[in-house]
């Protein structure tokens, strides 16, 4: 089942739930789980929360405002590894709190834009992808959240790759996005 | 990073968080999201919660007790589609509540077993997989939870497959477990 029509209300319903979902998944777990990765050059749950914070600061709402301003220059490129310097010294609990605060502010900012269906069709220019719309940007924000929720759960699951023994055959998650 | 030693404490920490994670992800969302699937013969988030309830009733703790009793007969096979009849007429909110209650009881039952490291090495017979251990069963319970958390998030993400436009190129979740 796919939406042909993007529902801003449904998108906001997911966006406002993500901090609580990630806190419920992660808060209080030991670092054997929250600092685990899927292998070289993959991210731990801790890294993911830092990445989501950077998105709140520099990506979604700034780009939505860029489109609404009628600006024809491409968006600024998003830094996908900023969290490796920006999260330094912070606990996971602190990052989860910061993410929740920023997301609350950004959902409020989104709602305050009072976007119409016509607005969702307004265009911007992505530095790599070219022509995009505001509606596509907001749908991407939602899917990006859900992608990182799955990443966090998958990364913790893979900690148990050996521990499950023969049951591995039934647990596809242990092979999802596995590097060759 | 993989555990070579299975930590019962860490496993319980994940098991006791799953109901809250799924409630945070799902509670109050519209059926366009909670009843969406990934295509024919795939499950909606609603179906997944019913499946998890059936596991609480018939799989994990009953099999753990079966092993601890020294029983040498194979486990009873698990019914993977029981939720299609058992969930009938129940709202998602009701299913989430039932799952949370059963999980709380089952975590308490697990802790009351006071399992030792030696117990985790005790063996049972799976009807298809053959020889397994109690530790493997409990690790599988954890990974099974996380697999279904990813399934729920992935299924909702795919509702936005068309809506994201060109950003699809960056959103691998839209292609994970996609049927050919």
């Amino acid at each position: 089942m796919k939406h042909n029509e993007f529902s801003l209300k449904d998108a906001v319903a997911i966006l406002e739930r993500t901090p609580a979902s990630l806190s419920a998944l992660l808060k209080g777990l030991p670092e054997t789980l929250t600092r685990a990765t899927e292998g070289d050059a993959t991210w731990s749950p801790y890294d993911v929360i830092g990445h989501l914070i950077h998105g709140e600061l520099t990506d979604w709402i700034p780009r939505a405002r860029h489109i609404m301003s009628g600006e024809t220059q491409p968006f600024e490129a998003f830094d996908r590894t900023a969290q490796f310097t920006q999260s330094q010294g912070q606990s996971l609990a602190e990052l989860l709190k910061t993410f929740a605060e920023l997301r609350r502010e950004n959902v409020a900012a989104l709602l305050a834009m009072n976007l119409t269906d016509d607005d969702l069709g307004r265009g911007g220019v992505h530095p790599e992808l070219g022509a995009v719309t505001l509606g596509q940007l907001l749908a991407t924000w939602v899917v990006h959240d859900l992608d990182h929720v799955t990443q966090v759960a998958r990364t913790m699951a893979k900690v148990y790759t050996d521990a499950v023994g023969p049951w591995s055959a039934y647990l596809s998650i242990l092979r999802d996005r596995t590097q060759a």
Side-chain angles (χ1 to χ4, degrees), chain A:
Chain A
M1 182 162 53
K2 291 175 189 170
H3 277 287
N4 288 311
E5 282 183 40
F6 173 74
S7 158
L8 186 59
K9 189 172 163 229
D10 293 1
V12 166
I14 295 181
L15 291 172
E16 65 190 7
R17 276 166 177 74
T18 303
S21 302
L22 288 166
S23 284
L25 265 169
L26 292 172
K27 206 167 168 184
L29 288 182
E31 292 197 349
T32 43
L33 293 162
T34 62
R35 297 288 191 137
T37 70
E38 295 176 84
D40 289 346
T42 64
W43 296 355
S44 69
Y46 177 89
D47 299 329
V48 167
I49 308 304
H51 166 75
L52 290 170
I53 288 171
H54 194 64
E56 295 305 300
L57 292 170
T58 70
D59 190 333
W60 313 106
I61 290 291
R63 286 183 174 185
R65 290 189 168 134
H66 183 108
I67 291 173
M68 290 301 289
S69 74
E71 178 60 68
T72 56
Q73 290 296 308
F75 308 136
E76 279 191 46
F78 180 71
D79 181 351
R80 285 199 184 74
T81 58
Q83 68 273 14
F84 293 110
T85 48
Q86 294 192 345
S87 298
Q88 277 182 2
Q90 297 183 67
S91 69
L92 178 59
E94 287 170 325
L95 295 180
L96 286 165
K97 185 158 173 279
T98 300
F99 175 55
E101 288 167 359
L102 292 170
R103 175 56 59 89
R104 194 160 41 240
E105 290 169 18
N106 282 337
V107 167
L110 176 63
L111 294 173
M113 292 169 87
N114 287 310
L115 298 174
T116 64
D117 283 349
D118 281 352
D119 289 333
L120 296 177
R122 292 175 74 151
V125 181
H126 186 281
E128 294 176 1
L129 299 170
V132 292
T133 68
L134 179 56
Q136 289 167 347
L137 173 72
L138 299 178
T140 299
W141 192 1
V142 170
V143 175
H144 181 267
D145 271 16
L146 295 169
D147 202 345
H148 286 297
V149 168
T150 71
Q151 180 180 21
V152 161
R154 185 179 68 237
T155 301
M156 295 199 295
K158 287 183 179 176
V159 171
Y160 294 89
T161 298
D162 295 335
V164 300
W167 266 290
S168 175
Y170 294 166
L171 297 165
S172 305
I173 192 173
L174 299 175
R175 288 169 293 280
D176 282 345
R177 313 255 190 121
T178 294
Q179 295 159 332

